[in-house]
Amino acid sequence: MDAPSLLSVQTPDMMHQPLVHAAFGSRVPDLTYLQVHLYLTLPAVAVLAWLARPFLWAHDRFKMVFLMALAVVYAFPWDHWVIMRGAWGYCESCVIGTIGGAVPIEEAAFFVIQTVASSLVGVLVYQACGQSPAVVQAAVALEAIKSPGTGRKLRGLGIALCAIACAVSMYYVIYGPTNSFYMSAIVMWATPIMALQWWIAGPYIWRLRKPAVVSVVLATAALSALDWYAIRAGAWQIGADTVIGIYFYEHLALEEVVFFALSNVMLVLGAMACDRTLAIMKLQGTLDERKHWVREMYRCTLLLDSQSAPASDPDLLDDTVLAANLIAKGSLSFHMASLLYPWDVRLDIHAIYAFCRVTDDIADATWMPAIKRKAKLDLAKQLIMQAFGASGKPEPGSTFRSRVHWDRYPELTVTQLAACRSIARVHNACGLPVQPVLDLLKGYAWDLDAEKPIANVPDLIQYSQYVAGTVGELTTHVMVAAADRARRHPRKPDLARAKLVAAAAVDMGVGLQLLNIARDLITDARLGRCYVPKDFWPASTNFSRAALMDRMAQRDCTPGDHAILHRVAGDLTALAASYLTRAATMGVPLLPREFRLPVRVAADVYAAIGKALREAAATPGAEYPERVVVPASTKVAIALKLAYLPQWGY
């Protein structure tokens, strides 16, 4: 295979002159370096930025700027050196200018563009992966505590491999043949940084190795294709004397592919090392501390994995992983919607959900006598009142652990205690109000009160406010508090706006619960429950709700029964739509902008349940579906539509 156009051989007199390709002569290349940016790299970055925009949060922007600064500072001297050694060159008259007499201004811009592009690819890949840095680091820390030698061995192996590669490449740079120079220079340049990144975050990176590999492969493939096209068009050329001589499609030298691979590895590992540090800061409770943020970041970077959680809260790591697992297994719809929150806020949302899930499971534990379930809910109520404090507000110098005698609740399981601790931490961090939590427990107690059935629509709405509206109110409080913490200059609270947002959150919760009830008519009947008031059932004297529930529980419904269920579900979904529409028009626009998307996605995914029920009712003679399940593909389509075509949503 013929090599591409060669660089002119460097002589001592030329060592301080910008390189000019012999092949160029007086010819202007088909594509200049500036045109490469204008026609290729910048449009690609614009597309990536548009794709990543719904998932690009403050922490990602910080990482991007931080990595850009490091990339320019670290890559510029090396690039200057390899240009002077003849590894690559360009048409001197075809660039805007040079920095340091050798590096084109466009090349310096490329450092920034590649960092941004690689970071955006990483954002998209990790968003699809759905892993929260704090949850990953909590799992890494638990492993480090359980098996401290595993992390040390993993770190040591990675650092040793980088050190060997660096030493060998350095030898070849100094003593090796000319054609090994470019490859050796690339490896010698990349491996020290990779060793440092692996020392900081090796176990964290290893746990996320699959999305890391995907990010590197995608970015490397795209940049290699760009490089092949630019070399083919003459924007720059590779010095044939400094490369091994292996080319892809005649123009792309193996060394260029290795360069893009290792530079992307450094960028991806750098982003993951930043994520690890930020995750530890979140676990330590200092992520939102402005006064000593840089000092705290430095401290958390150097902490051992086993020291990720503060010594005053030894259960934090287990509770964090447990909360994430509960929502992942308990509600696919809410789990998918929660992935659209910034990961630090997502952690608090998971904590609230964990408490709701665990206490709901207590109420639904039919194998346990109702009186015992009520007793457990009462214990959870006592514990919450203690953990939240007498005033219901976080008290200076006091923590939820110091306010609660955790060993006095042996009746509660490990999981139940963990869920209580999780929601208490959120209260400590952002002043979560206690009344919605107590109302939530009141709603679960209502499930167990056989003497207080849901008799009318006001009962139904109040029950829905208790078991779902409260969840909306709590999560909205977390969102508003997070937005307030993120502001550089806190503003005066707008009480009227806060009341509107809270009321809309309750309405949305009511709407979602009504859809839940419509979906679970048969499931609830088997538990001996009926949340549908008598106003929704036929007024005929021949109709018996109790008899219908018996037939539902025994899977012995008649065609007439199915018709009645379809009609009831239609009334419930219509009522739900009125609450969801009111919440969407009056509440969602008042939320902080970064939190509107996940709220809309959750509402639309649940609205798809109502749509499926209406479609089933439209089929003559159709049986009432035992449980409507929205396919994962539909949920993803809803999320993508709202993320990129918001005018289609609320």
Side-chain angles (χ1 to χ4, degrees):
M1 181 182 294
D2 293 334
S5 302
L6 305 181
L7 282 172
S8 55
V9 178
Q10 295 289 292
T11 65
D13 294 337
M14 297 172 60
M15 290 300 289
H16 299 290
Q17 300 297 322
L19 283 177
V20 182
H21 286 291
F24 284 140
S26 60
R27 178 180 66 86
V28 175
D30 297 334
L31 197 68
T32 67
Y33 207 154
L34 178 60
Q35 289 171 328
V36 170
H37 289 325
L38 293 178
Y39 301 157
L40 299 174
T41 61
L42 291 178
V45 167
V47 171
L48 286 171
W50 180 77
L51 290 173
R53 177 184 52 83
F55 323 113
L56 197 61
W57 300 303
H59 298 138
D60 298 304
R61 293 191 290 271
F62 159 75
K63 287 188 300 183
M64 210 176 296
V65 173
F66 181 68
L67 292 174
M68 278 192 291
L70 291 181
V72 171
V73 169
Y74 187 67
F76 180 83
W78 176 84
D79 203 25
H80 187 283
W81 173 58
V82 296
I83 289 174
M84 288 301 187
R85 289 289 300 269
W88 74 278
Y90 52 91
C91 170
E92 183 181 12
S93 62
C94 306
V95 296
I96 298 173
T98 59
I99 304 173
V103 181
I105 293 173
E106 294 92 332
E107 175 77 354
F110 187 82
F111 300 155
V112 174
I113 291 170
Q114 182 183 354
T115 302
V116 172
S118 183
S119 299
L120 292 174
V121 169
V123 166
L124 291 169
V125 171
Y126 286 104
Q127 184 63 34
C129 171
Q131 294 276 16
S132 168
V135 176
V136 173
Q137 182 56 29
V140 168
L142 288 171
E143 180 66 25
I145 294 170
K146 181 181 177 181
S147 306
T150 303
R152 287 197 296 268
K153 291 177 182 177
L154 187 62
R155 277 189 169 91
L157 178 61
I159 292 171
L161 291 175
C162 288
I164 293 170
C166 184
V168 172
S169 61
M170 187 178 295
Y171 174 85
Y172 272 89
V173 164
I174 299 172
Y175 301 109
T178 304
N179 69 345
S180 68
F181 169 74
Y182 195 18
M183 180 70 78
S184 302
I186 293 168
V187 176
M188 186 181 72
W189 168 70
T191 46
I193 297 298
M194 291 165 55
L196 176 62
Q197 293 165 335
W198 194 261
W199 172 72
I200 292 173
Y204 180 94
I205 295 167
W206 182 252
R207 190 167 285 267
L208 291 176
R209 59 192 178 277
K210 290 182 180 179
V213 169
V214 171
S215 298
V216 170
V217 169
L218 289 176
T220 300
L223 289 170
S224 296
L226 168 77
D227 192 46
W228 174 85
Y229 184 78
I231 292 173
R232 181 172 174 267
W236 57 79
Q237 293 289 350
I238 306 302
D241 290 343
T242 64
V243 297
I244 297 171
I246 299 175
Y247 294 88
F248 300 98
Y249 301 102
E250 298 186 18
H251 302 287
L252 182 63
L254 173 63
E255 285 79 357
E256 287 287 273
V257 177
V258 173
F259 168 77
F260 287 122
L262 292 184
S263 59
N264 283 315
V265 166
M266 288 193 289
L267 289 170
V268 169
L269 266 56
M272 296 174 78
C274 287
D275 282 339
R276 173 191 178 270
T277 296
L278 295 172
I280 293 177
M281 292 174 71
K282 174 65 177 178
L283 294 171
Q284 294 274 329
T286 58
L287 184 60
D288 299 309
E289 183 180 309
R290 290 188 177 277
K291 190 174 181 181
H292 304 294
W293 198 86
V294 174
R295 185 180 70 186
E296 186 62 19
M297 183 180 179
Y298 176 75
R299 183 184 74 86
C300 290
T301 299
L302 299 181
L303 281 179
L304 299 175
D305 289 328
S306 58
Q307 299 171 328
S308 296
S312 59
D313 193 0
D315 300 307
L316 173 61
L317 301 174
D318 285 302
D319 296 352
T320 298
V321 175
L322 175 67
N325 289 338
L326 281 174
I327 192 170
K329 296 176 181 177
S331 175
L332 296 179
S333 297
F334 278 120
H335 179 247
M336 189 192 73
S338 75
L339 297 179
L340 302 174
Y341 286 103
W343 64 262
D344 55 325
V345 177
R346 190 190 315 163
L347 212 63
D348 296 338
I349 300 293
H350 286 180
I352 293 172
Y353 179 87
F355 179 80
C356 299
R357 177 76 272 154
V358 165
T359 48
D360 185 35
D361 287 345
I362 293 175
D364 288 345
T366 53
W367 52 269
M368 190 189 305
I371 190 169
K372 189 171 182 181
R373 284 181 272 167
K374 287 181 181 179
K376 279 205 167 196
L377 290 174
D378 285 340
L379 285 174
K381 178 181 176 180
Q382 294 174 24
L383 195 154
I384 288 298
M385 293 181 70
Q386 288 182 12
F388 278 47
S391 65
K393 297 180 180 180
E395 301 169 7
S398 169
T399 68
F400 74 95
R401 298 195 68 86
S402 63
R403 291 190 293 267
V404 178
H405 299 287
W406 296 93
D407 56 345
R408 296 184 182 179
Y409 295 91
E411 297 88 351
L412 297 178
T413 66
V414 172
T415 300
Q416 291 158 1
L417 287 172
C420 291
R421 286 193 298 265
S422 293
I423 198 169
R425 287 189 191 95
V426 180
H427 165 73
N428 246 44
C430 64
L432 208 61
V434 68
Q435 192 56 49
V437 184
L438 300 181
D439 286 344
L440 177 74
L441 295 174
K442 193 183 297 184
Y444 294 147
W446 194 339
D447 279 335
L448 302 176
D449 192 346
E451 298 180 0
K452 191 181 179 183
I454 292 176
N456 48 47
V457 173
D459 279 355
L460 173 63
I461 299 304
Q462 184 166 37
Y463 171 79
S464 298
Q465 288 173 342
Y466 281 163
V467 300
T470 53
V471 181
E473 188 175 355
L474 291 169
T475 53
T476 299
H477 183 92
V478 168
M479 289 183 262
V480 173
D484 288 341
R485 290 196 304 268
R487 291 190 181 94
R488 191 174 297 276
H489 304 290
R491 65 187 183 189
K492 185 178 179 180
D494 187 340
L495 297 181
R497 181 189 180 99
K499 286 183 179 179
L500 281 174
V501 172
V506 172
D507 281 346
M508 184 162 286
V510 169
L512 300 184
Q513 181 61 22
L514 291 173
L515 290 171
N516 258 337
I517 291 171
R519 179 190 63 183
D520 295 339
L521 288 176
I522 295 178
T523 303
D524 289 334
R526 290 184 188 141
L527 293 173
R529 297 176 185 168
C530 181
Y531 299 105
V532 182
K534 61 181 181 181
D535 303 355
F536 284 62
W537 298 108
S540 171
T541 55
N542 295 327
F543 173 76
S544 169
R545 188 179 75 170
L548 175 58
M549 288 185 62
D550 285 341
R551 292 195 294 274
M552 289 162 62
Q554 296 171 15
R555 295 184 173 89
D556 192 25
C557 290
T558 66
D561 293 337
H562 287 296
I564 291 172
L565 293 176
H566 280 304
R567 195 159 55 246
V568 167
D571 292 339
L572 286 171
T573 56
L575 184 59
S578 68
Y579 275 88
L580 290 175
T581 300
R582 186 167 64 196
T585 55
M586 299 183 63
V588 172
L590 298 179
L591 284 173
R593 185 174 297 276
E594 61 268 34
F595 301 124
R596 294 173 193 171
L597 176 60
V599 173
R600 285 171 170 159
V601 169
D604 269 26
V605 167
Y606 264 77
I609 295 174
K611 180 182 178 182
L613 290 173
R614 289 191 297 272
E615 289 175 350
T619 304
E623 293 187 359
Y624 189 80
E626 185 165 326
R627 185 176 178 88
V628 171
V629 177
V630 179
S633 58
T634 301
K635 296 176 184 177
V636 172
I638 289 171
L640 293 177
K641 181 183 71 174
L642 289 171
Y644 299 115
L645 301 171
Q647 67 273 19
W648 286 58
Y650 288 121

